[in-house]
Amino acid sequence: MITTSSALAAPSVVPAGAALALSGDGDQPQRAVGDRWSDNVEVSTPTTRNASDLVLDAAAAGDFALAWSQDTDDDVVAVSGEIGSALSAPQVFEGDYDDPDVAIGGNGVAVLGWESAADRSTVYAASKAGDTDLFSSPESFVGDGHGASPATAENASVAVTDAGVGMLFYERDSYNPPSYSDIAEAVEGRILLDPASNTWNAGTDVHGAIKDPRSREVSVAADGSAFLGTNNFSVGPCWDVGVMLMRSDGTGSGGGDIAVGCNGGVYNGIYPSSARLPDSSVVMAYPHASDRGVYVVEFPAARAAGGDTNLESAEVRLDGPGETSGTRALVRTDAAGNAVVVWYDSNSTGEDNERSMLARFRPSGSSEWGAAEVISSGENYQGDFDFDVAPDGTGYLVYERTDTDSGNQEVVAVERPPGATASWTTPEVLSELQGTVASPQVAAADGGRAVAAWIGTGAEIVSYATIEPAPEPEDTTPPGLRLQAKKQSDVKRLTVRATCGEPCSLTLEASGKALLKGKGAPTRKLGWKAKPTTTSLRADRATSVALKVKGRKTKRQFAKALERKRGKVVLQVVGSATDAAGNETSTKQRITLRR
């Protein structure tokens, strides 16, 4: 029986950026002034610890979701929220499960997928609509059987497009023919029809008879298509990199192999990484198993779904032969079409770039990759890392290392500002005194935001940290206001020219005295007021504002004062302006009107 529950043990809601004190560790060290990432926060609870298989994804809008396997009970745990806001309590899917994958996209829609732990007979998918932080009850999917073999389903991978269309991919009906390793009768793709009810379409085979596919990375393009690059095994022994594509309407197909290597093991066991360019074409990066070189290849999306994808001759090597030993490579692109490949060099014999994190950058529209960038070198790396690029081109990298002075394992983060000539920042430690660490993950959002997560203290806890742009300094400067009241003979109104240095709301008031003098007549003193007037002003744009004399009797007296040769009217105009930040200012002007 499949059930879901929310962990009730404290803390049920973990505020982003709050300080974390682990049991037995005492108070955590204070982060240095100038550190860009928040304090780390434990997102797991006592009943959801003992974690593995951590996965994380974020949408451009700042929504993110993370999931992991809870190994004690073989449960799957998921948490979602928004960068900078409080997170929901961990949600537990109880059963014999492992190997989760999670994706979140437009409109806050998210999909969580996983498989049965024991017999790989079933995959499961739960969805989340954008107006909630909780995933639905899961839907299960099985194969339809292949000959006499049992129906199987395994290796769930998920994606969500920018439009909020959820996708699920899984291997269906693996079997063991003579002279082959396991073969999946097909990789099946399904489209999420309703995230609130977790309703899926009937599915389609996006690749048939694919041999032992190995990949968990799905890249989504602006046109709504999702691409998978897989490493496959076939008779020979041969290994190849296969490709397949599915569109948001559920159509698509496998396009064949882009490269094949037999006997030499060139592609044996590699995991290709892929990203999409603005025109929806595909850029892939992967290491060769034989020479440990890091290679990249690019091809149109149509070739991923329509065959004729043998592009082995188009491979471009990014590292120097014999200089490095790439064990993994990740490629990411930004909204402008720039591409960055990051890889870990595990070379332990050479002197140049020995045991380093390396990268190369390719500007949008160019076929040339820039010079190798040494992110860090000579550190005691643990080998696991993750990399993502924000829409604006900022790159975020997290990786594991052992501190040479203290001997502590750490998860550290570095950033790459946008542009071809950018320099990577100094590593910043995210996991403070958390013992053995594993599975560093990072996901970038728009607006200078990112989230990182990892497993610490020997699989006991799941922690996360966020990065957000520094808050804008509080605007406390009052707006600059200028008034110019003109002398005039209009007995009913006064016109004032008002100018504000920024957009603001203006209120004008006026009051004064009138003196009536004449031969043979006593001098008379009269008081008067104008009706208050409120208006909006654009920045630095003079605007004429009319003030009307208040009251019928006052208007007559005002007219008499102006009509008499010795009459005069003394005015005091008061203007009060308020800007968008709520800052206020006021000014006065005195003017004497004569006829």
Side-chain angles (χ1 to χ4, degrees):
M1 180 179 179
I2 302 170
T3 60
T4 66
S5 64
S6 292
L8 301 179
S12 58
V13 177
V14 186
L20 169 67
L22 297 178
S23 176
D25 286 343
D27 294 335
Q28 292 296 293
Q30 295 295 312
R31 301 185 65 76
V33 175
D35 282 350
R36 288 179 40 81
W37 289 84
S38 70
D39 291 343
N40 61 64
V41 178
E42 181 184 356
V43 67
S44 55
T45 60
T47 57
T48 59
R49 294 173 177 171
N50 193 26
S52 65
D53 302 324
L54 181 66
V55 287
L56 167 70
D57 193 31
D63 304 301
F64 73 96
L66 63 157
W68 64 91
S69 296
Q70 200 275 329
D71 289 344
T72 302
D73 299 318
D74 287 335
D75 296 334
V76 167
V77 184
V79 177
S80 65
E82 185 177 357
I83 296 174
S85 300
L87 299 186
S88 60
Q91 187 177 0
V92 181
F93 296 85
E94 298 175 346
D96 184 21
Y97 307 138
D98 67 2
D99 206 17
D101 191 27
V102 72
I104 191 167
N107 303 319
V109 174
V111 177
L112 174 66
W114 66 93
E115 67 183 10
S116 56
D119 56 10
R120 304 292 191 260
S121 62
T122 310
V123 297
Y124 303 89
S127 59
K128 183 191 79 66
D131 57 356
T132 179
D133 289 333
L134 295 178
F135 286 88
S136 66
S137 296
E139 180 67 67
S140 60
F141 302 98
V142 299
D144 56 10
H146 181 88
S149 301
T152 61
E154 57 185 322
N155 296 332
S157 298
V158 295
V160 182
T161 71
D162 291 341
V165 178
M167 299 181 177
L168 168 68
F169 302 88
Y170 58 94
E171 297 168 34
R172 179 170 60 77
D173 298 326
S174 296
Y175 64 103
N176 290 286
S179 303
Y180 285 80
S181 68
D182 287 348
I183 293 180
E185 185 181 67
V187 171
E188 184 164 312
R190 289 178 179 263
I191 298 295
L192 180 63
L193 302 177
D194 183 3
S197 62
N198 196 26
T199 304
W200 296 81
N201 75 345
T204 185
D205 292 345
V206 294
H207 204 307
I210 190 167
K211 298 166 278 296
D212 196 19
R214 306 170 190 174
S215 178
R216 289 301 303 273
E217 190 170 274
V218 183
S219 57
V220 178
D223 66 3
S225 62
F227 172 81
L228 292 85
T230 64
N231 170 240
N232 315 311
F233 172 81
S234 62
V235 68
C238 297
W239 295 268
D240 62 77
V241 178
V243 297
M244 62 195 79
L245 183 141
M246 185 170 71
R247 301 175 183 84
S248 56
D249 62 0
T251 62
S253 63
D257 305 323
I258 68 165
V260 178
C262 297
N263 300 314
V266 174
Y267 302 102
N268 182 15
I270 69 171
Y271 285 81
S273 173
S274 65
R276 308 297 294 278
L277 294 168
D279 63 358
S280 299
S281 59
V282 180
V283 56
M284 290 182 64
Y286 42 81
H288 280 186
S290 301
D291 60 12
R292 311 310 301 176
V294 176
Y295 294 80
V296 67
V297 66
E298 182 180 341
F299 50 93
R303 297 186 72 174
D308 186 28
T309 53
N310 191 332
L311 297 173
E312 186 173 359
S313 61
E315 288 180 337
V316 176
R317 182 163 186 170
L318 297 185
D319 63 327
E323 295 180 1
T324 65
S325 182
T327 56
R328 188 184 174 206
L330 292 178
V331 59
R332 297 292 183 262
T333 56
D334 62 21
N338 302 302
V340 183
V341 175
V342 170
W343 71 93
Y344 169 54
D345 164 33
S346 62
N347 183 17
S348 60
T349 58
E351 294 182 1
D352 294 336
N353 300 332
E354 181 176 344
R355 293 177 62 81
S356 304
M357 295 296 306
L358 304 174
R360 289 186 71 174
F361 176 89
R362 191 186 70 182
S364 175
S366 174
S367 60
E368 299 296 326
W369 291 84
E373 303 171 359
V374 180
I375 303 170
S376 66
S377 182
E379 295 187 276
N380 188 0
Y381 304 96
Q382 301 303 304
D384 201 1
F385 72 94
D386 195 25
F387 177 61
D388 200 15
V389 171
D392 70 355
T394 303
Y396 301 90
L397 172 69
V398 293
Y399 62 92
E400 301 172 2
R401 72 180 185 187
T402 298
D403 183 70
T404 54
D405 295 327
S406 65
N408 294 326
Q409 284 193 20
E410 299 171 334
V411 172
V412 297
V414 294
E415 299 169 55
R416 187 190 190 282
T421 61
S423 298
W424 293 83
T425 61
T426 301
E428 179 180 340
V429 179
L430 302 185
S431 61
E432 300 284 2
L433 299 180
Q434 289 194 346
T436 304
V437 294
S439 301
Q441 301 283 303
V442 69
D446 213 346
R449 295 171 294 170
V451 57
W454 63 92
I455 298 172
T457 64
E460 278 302 307
I461 65 171
V462 176
S463 298
Y464 82 105
T466 59
I467 187 170
E468 300 178 64
E472 294 290 335
E474 184 179 358
D475 180 9
T476 59
T477 304
L481 177 63
R482 299 185 302 276
L483 300 179
Q484 182 182 7
K486 295 183 177 181
K487 294 181 180 181
Q488 61 188 68
S489 58
D490 192 325
V491 299
K492 295 184 179 180
R493 69 181 64 214
L494 170 70
T495 300
V496 178
R497 296 277 287 176
T499 307
C500 205
E502 58 187 290
C504 63
S505 174
L506 173 69
T507 298
L508 283 180
E509 297 180 272
S511 62
K513 295 179 180 179
L515 294 177
L516 276 66
K517 297 180 180 181
K519 291 182 178 180
T523 299
R524 298 178 59 188
K525 296 182 179 180
L526 303 174
W528 72 275
K529 290 184 178 181
K531 296 179 181 179
T533 299
T534 299
T535 188
S536 296
L537 300 181
R538 296 182 182 181
D540 294 316
R541 183 169 179 176
T543 302
S544 296
V545 183
L547 288 169
K548 294 182 179 180
V549 177
K550 187 177 181 181
R552 182 179 301 176
K553 183 178 179 181
T554 302
K555 292 178 182 178
R556 291 198 303 266
Q557 293 172 338
F558 188 28
K560 289 181 179 180
L562 293 176
E563 288 170 355
R564 296 191 180 189
K565 293 182 179 181
R566 301 181 63 187
K568 69 177 180 178
V569 179
V570 179
L571 307 177
Q572 181 171 270
V573 180
V574 179
S576 299
T578 304
D579 64 16
N583 300 306
E584 298 180 0
T585 191
S586 62
T587 187
K588 300 178 182 179
Q589 184 181 7
R590 181 185 174 92
I591 186 170
T592 299
L593 298 182
R594 293 180 182 273
R595 185 70 179 248

